[in-house]
Amino acid sequence: MKVEDFDFHLPEGLIAQTPLADRTSSKLLIADYPNNEVTHTTFHTIIDQLQPGDCLILNDTKVMPARLMGTKEETGASVEVLLLTQQQDDEWETLVKPAKRVKIGTVLSFGDGLLTATCTGIKDHGGRIFKMAYDGVFFEVLDQLGEMPLPPYIHEKLEDRDRYQTVYAKEQGSAAAPTAGLHFTPELLQAVEDKGVSIGYVTLHVGLGTFRPVSVETIESHEMHAEFYRLSQTTADLINTTKQAGGRIVAVGTTSTRTLESVAKKFDGELKEDSDWTSIFIFPGFEFKVIDAMITNFHLPKSTLVMLVSALTSREFILNAYQEAIDQRYRFFSFGDAMLIKGKDFT
């Protein structure tokens, strides 16, 4: 299967640069695969698509203000550091610009010495390992010094950094937001529960690999980046009980989907408490074991995320739905509009 098969033309003007004032006011495209139809509404009506006994799964990861602007202690030269993943204790894997200025032993200072970082390792493509030194709690220091690492296609300044955070964000560790969840408010989630729909949480820390282009010709040749996930026994039990009772599992976002399907794949279809790193790559031909539908945003052409949503229905169906979204001037990517994809067995 060729990567080019998942290409489409997206006018640059449809790339959303800022979030809407009301999270729930975005457009919602309903891609109903079983009935082979696409309809349009607004996100606050998502509750009408859910039934008592269904289960909504959210990713409660929290985006770190992971972009740090610092200086070399030796020379005062400016260096940008982007935190990726915590290795152990106070060691972090990062991306550095300009990387050539940072060698093993280089010490960077942030916030006039409030945080210092010593390079202890070198990785490919500008990657560096740093040992951090600070007083107090690291994430409190980071909150004081760091900036939100917005995706490369967003060029507008974000006035309120909480808007690149879901209202239920809890577990610190992502370099990017699970953007499908940005459409929910506490009031909408309460209305979902009041309708008799269960809500469960998983954690998957989103890495910057989600923005990297696929650089091979065939899908099967692509190697996915790894991301850390955690599934609690409480959520596993909730999903198992829902499925046994005939309820439907609706994943909010590709990250929630990847978490659930990773665990199911690992344990031969069973869901139970687990935490691990996943590099699962879902593309057409994949057999879903857990989810019945997915709420998601609109993704980049030729991206692994377009391939994932195509697997839940078909490539042709998704690309047709995307073209309709383009024709209807939907807003794309992180701050854009939403899509509910009803999978093959969603009834």
Side-chain angles (χ1 to χ4, degrees):
M1 202 176 300
K2 293 191 177 298
V3 172
E4 288 293 332
D5 293 340
F6 295 85
D7 196 13
F8 59 91
H9 173 67
L10 177 68
E12 192 171 341
L14 296 186
I15 300 173
Q17 294 295 315
T18 54
L20 297 177
D22 175 7
R23 288 176 183 261
T24 69
S25 65
S26 66
K27 294 180 182 179
L28 175 65
L29 183 150
I30 300 172
D32 186 343
Y33 186 69
N35 292 309
N36 192 32
E37 65 179 14
V38 169
T39 54
H40 306 277
T41 180
T42 50
F43 193 83
H44 65 81
T45 68
I46 188 70
I47 193 168
D48 298 333
Q49 303 299 319
L50 304 172
Q51 298 176 172
D54 287 347
C55 180
L56 195 68
I57 299 296
L58 309 171
N59 180 8
D60 65 3
T61 189
K62 189 171 186 179
V63 185
M64 302 178 292
R67 179 169 279 118
L68 291 163
M69 304 304 296
T71 56
K72 285 180 68 174
E73 285 199 342
E74 265 181 38
T75 64
S78 296
V79 179
E80 178 182 332
V81 174
L82 188 62
L83 302 181
L84 297 181
T85 52
Q86 190 169 8
Q87 301 290 294
Q88 53 185 359
D89 300 326
D90 287 316
E91 279 200 326
W92 283 82
E93 181 181 348
T94 71
L95 285 177
V96 174
K97 286 197 306 189
K100 63 186 178 189
R101 288 184 179 170
V102 178
K103 299 175 172 55
I104 291 179
T106 297
V107 179
L108 303 181
S109 175
F110 307 93
D112 295 323
L114 195 61
L115 172 69
T116 60
T118 303
C119 181
T120 60
I122 294 178
K123 300 179 78 71
D124 295 335
H125 309 298
R128 296 292 186 271
I129 305 295
F130 282 107
K131 177 78 171 179
M132 305 295 183
Y134 53 91
D135 290 326
V137 178
F138 177 75
F139 284 112
E140 290 179 1
V141 174
L142 185 63
D143 201 51
Q144 189 174 339
L145 298 177
E147 300 173 11
M148 279 296 186
L150 293 178
Y153 46 73
I154 292 179
H155 309 298
E156 296 284 331
K157 181 175 172 58
L158 182 63
E159 298 299 332
D160 177 6
R161 70 183 190 181
D162 282 345
R163 290 308 310 274
Y164 193 57
Q165 206 79 270
T166 64
V167 297
Y168 47 83
K170 178 182 173 187
E171 301 295 335
Q172 192 101 239
S174 274
T179 54
L182 295 179
H183 303 282
F184 285 95
T185 61
E187 294 79 13
L188 182 55
L189 289 171
Q190 185 60 57
V192 167
E193 286 193 296
D194 290 346
K195 188 170 183 177
V197 176
S198 302
I199 297 178
Y201 295 90
V202 298
T203 302
L204 183 137
H205 293 320
V206 188
L208 288 183
T210 192
F211 300 120
R212 290 199 182 114
V214 179
S215 57
V216 294
E217 287 188 15
T218 60
I219 289 176
E220 294 82 0
S221 303
H222 178 65
E223 289 188 22
M224 284 287 286
H225 58 288
E227 294 169 317
F228 178 80
Y229 70 82
R230 184 182 299 111
L231 174 66
S232 69
Q233 191 61 52
T234 300
T235 299
D237 289 343
L238 177 62
I239 294 170
N240 291 332
T241 300
T242 299
K243 291 185 82 68
Q244 287 163 10
R248 305 170 304 186
I249 308 301
V250 180
V252 177
T254 58
T255 59
S256 298
T257 299
R258 293 180 72 236
T259 300
L260 297 179
E261 297 298 335
S262 292
V263 177
K265 184 178 180 183
K266 183 176 179 179
F267 297 112
D268 294 325
E270 186 180 354
L271 283 187
K272 56 185 176 181
E273 183 175 4
D274 188 48
S275 61
D276 204 347
W277 291 80
T278 181
S279 55
I280 192 171
F281 185 14
I282 298 175
F283 55 87
F286 182 87
E287 290 190 17
F288 289 87
K289 292 182 169 58
V290 183
I291 76 158
D292 301 296
M294 185 194 318
I295 296 167
T296 184
N297 281 22
F298 292 89
H299 307 295
L300 281 75
K302 298 192 290 188
S303 66
T304 59
L305 303 179
V306 169
M307 297 167 196
L308 187 156
V309 297
S310 296
L312 190 57
T313 57
S314 74
R315 181 184 71 88
E316 295 78 12
F317 183 75
I318 288 297
L319 290 182
N320 286 337
Y322 267 53
Q323 187 57 53
E324 186 153 338
I326 291 167
D327 294 342
Q328 296 290 327
R329 307 291 297 173
Y330 273 62
R331 303 165 78 244
F332 273 63
F333 305 163
S334 296
F335 288 138
D337 295 315
M339 185 181 202
L340 169 64
I341 305 173
K342 298 181 179 181
K344 299 167 185 174
D345 300 320
F346 192 92
T347 54

